[in-house]
Amino acid sequence: MSKKTAYVGKRPLPTSGMRHVALFVPDFDAACHFYIELLGMAVEWQPDPDNIYLCSGNDNVALHNKPDNVNLNPAQQRLDHIGFIIDDMADVDRWYDFLMANKVKMQSEPRTHRDGARSFYCLDPAGTLVQIIYHPPLSTGGSAGDLTEESADL
């Protein structure tokens, strides 16, 4: 951060986090399969055949069937990636194996970062970069020592 910019008035209390993302998808059915069947998100509401709202506890993802006037060219987009928090470090590798077995396009293998996080990247059917991440400040448990446990059913 280079220079602080002054603001007017008293700032409200901090937000509770960024827990909603809305995505235009060119293949609505493939996106629904990825987020519902593979990632296990629940359908919160589907107001019509072109829109669906999914949740996984604290998070909410809206999938919108891409209208013709929306450009999904990566050069025109500003979104880098979205991430899903995993509460146990060992589950990052389990998710990687599960998604690989289900033919999800991987962009990296699981790795442990300098800050103690562990993650990998894959693509959803629309090409959105998705990070599956164990991040100690946000995850609720599980450590590197858990990596040798047998894989749990997902």
Side-chain angles (χ1 to χ4, degrees):
M1 196 163 98
S2 57
K3 179 178 143 184
K4 288 190 175 190
T5 304
Y7 55 88
V8 176
K10 184 178 179 196
R11 181 184 317 140
L13 294 174
T15 70
S16 295
M18 188 174 66
R19 297 188 176 142
H20 172 74
V21 64
L23 302 171
F24 284 121
V25 296
D27 186 337
F28 192 74
D29 291 336
C32 287
H33 173 74
F34 179 82
Y35 288 99
I36 298 168
E37 303 302 326
L38 296 182
L39 293 188
M41 298 190 82
V43 176
E44 177 185 339
W45 182 49
Q46 186 169 9
D48 56 62
D50 290 324
N51 298 282
I52 194 166
Y53 296 84
L54 310 172
C55 62
S56 64
N58 292 326
D59 298 316
N60 179 272
V61 174
L63 302 176
H64 304 296
N65 207 0
K66 183 190 91 58
D68 291 336
N69 65 342
V70 172
N71 184 349
L72 293 182
N73 178 339
Q76 304 297 319
Q77 300 295 311
R78 290 186 172 27
L79 178 68
D80 178 44
H81 70 276
I82 61 174
F84 288 90
I85 298 295
I86 303 300
D87 285 329
D88 187 297
M89 184 183 269
D91 283 338
V92 171
D93 294 76
R94 292 179 186 123
W95 272 106
Y96 179 84
D97 293 342
F98 173 76
L99 294 174
M100 280 280 294
N102 282 277
K103 310 284 190 249
V104 172
K105 293 179 184 175
M106 294 298 163
Q107 298 298 294
S108 70
E109 293 183 355
R111 74 177 188 92
T112 302
H113 306 265
R114 293 177 292 184
D115 63 356
R118 185 166 179 81
S119 74
F120 68 88
Y121 292 91
C122 62
L123 295 175
D124 78 0
T128 301
L129 190 61
V130 176
Q131 183 181 32
I132 304 295
I133 182 169
Y134 166 80
H135 187 61
L138 301 176
S139 300
T140 61
S143 66
D146 295 335
L147 286 175
T148 58
E149 291 180 7
E150 292 296 316
S151 180
D153 289 331
L154 293 175

